[in-house]
Amino acid sequence: SMSEPRLVCLPLVIEELLSQKRLEYSGRENIAINFVSELGPQSDACVSACELEFKSVLSNLINNAVEAYGESGGAVLVELRETQGFLTVTIRDQGCGIPEALLSEIGSREISSKPEPGHGLGMVHAMNNISNWGGKLSISTRAHMGSAVEISLPTLARAPRVATKRTAAVDARIARLAVKESKASVNE
């Protein structure tokens, strides 16, 4: 089914989603969505997740970050790094911060089905998804200083690959990379 976890190549999926979000916010000149990856551009770092759900989680977190700036706008920074068997995506803003009350609600995961303050329900949904994928989500926020939401998911070994639409493209990129690497080692 669509929601079954499968191999997701995070660098690629994040780039795709960010292009979408930049388009979505292109009418607002005061909004910037920046991506900083510590992984090489050829990285095929994968996690086990549902690609659509992951994109939806990331999309909501970016919307929250944009909303935190209000009318004045600002920059949303999405960072990707790999540490000790985890891929970590961090969404940072320097907006108004997440209200204390909402944070404790998110923590207790007892949020009314009416998403009154906006972020609450999306965040619980995100946390549930991420824990289903063996990962964790943490939030740090300070009033008027901004927020950082961090998603960590276990990195999968590069093989074996599960068949996805993207497998062929990713495999072709890896093959090119392998050729480059073998050339590099021959030339040493």
Side-chain angles (χ1 to χ4, degrees), residues 143-155:
H144 316 299
M145 300 276 288
S147 306
V149 180
E150 197 174 85
I151 299 171
S152 288
L153 292 166
T155 311

Side-chain angles (χ1 to χ4, degrees), residues 11 15 35-41 43 77-82:
E15 290 273 17
F35 182 41
V36 173
S37 174
E38 290 180 14
L39 282 56
S43 173
L77 177 60
V78 179
E79 298 167 331
L80 177 64
R81 61 182 195 278
E82 191 169 10

